[in-house]
Structures are given as C-alpha cells and as structure tokens.
Amino acid sequence: DVVVMCLTWQVSVRKTVKGQVREVNVLVEGDFFGERALMDDEVRQADVVVTGDTACTCLFMERQAFNDILGPLEDVWKY
C-alpha cells in the first residue's frame, strides 16, 4: 500500500454506491489520498481516476516511509 500526493494533475475520486459510480471528490495539486488505508489497515474505499488533458505527475510514499515520517503525528491525523 502507498499514499499518493498529486503534484501536477487533477483526479476524480469515485465510489460505487448501489451499483452506480459516483464522483465523491475532486483532488488537485498538493492533495493526497491513500493515507487512511495505511494508517488503519483499511481496504481502499474508492477509485481515483485522472481527469483533464494534463500529464500525471505523482509522488508515492510506501507504508514504512509514511510511518517513519508521520508516525509520531498519528494522534493528530486521526482527528
């Protein structure tokens, strides 16, 4: 599992609800996703799809690096 930060792109966060795909959020440069799956060992709850005509540039952070950097801030992240 990884956390992903949007560097130069826009993405649509989509969930399937009652058999229909719905956009539940739009993320832009500087936003990130995947942190809950790493923090709480949750299964991912949504799909993320790149939108627009711009190329994707993203930063991936694996679980160990995420925990090393943000582990001491876990109580802050959960609220």
Side-chain angles (χ1 to χ4, degrees), residues 36-79:
R36 278 195 251 165
L38 292 183
M39 289 174 44
D40 299 328
D41 288 323
E42 292 180 2
V43 175
R44 296 200 185 262
Q45 301 292 315
D47 294 319
V48 178
V49 179
V50 176
T51 58
D53 296 335
T54 59
C56 277
T57 303
C58 52
L59 170 70
F60 292 88
M61 185 182 301
E62 293 183 350
R63 181 185 299 271
Q64 187 61 49
F66 182 82
N67 289 338
D68 289 348
I69 294 169
L70 299 173
L73 301 174
E74 182 176 348
D75 291 338
V76 174
W77 274 90
K78 290 199 177 205
Y79 298 101

Side-chain angles (χ1 to χ4, degrees), residues 12-39:
S12 171
V13 181
R14 300 173 182 176
K15 285 182 133 182
T16 301
V17 179
K18 296 182 181 178
Q20 291 193 346
V21 177
R22 297 190 178 161
E23 183 176 79
V24 295
N25 202 357
V26 173
L27 303 177
V28 295
E29 292 179 24
D31 289 336
F32 53 91
F33 60 91
E35 76 284 356
R36 278 195 251 165
L38 292 183
M39 289 174 44

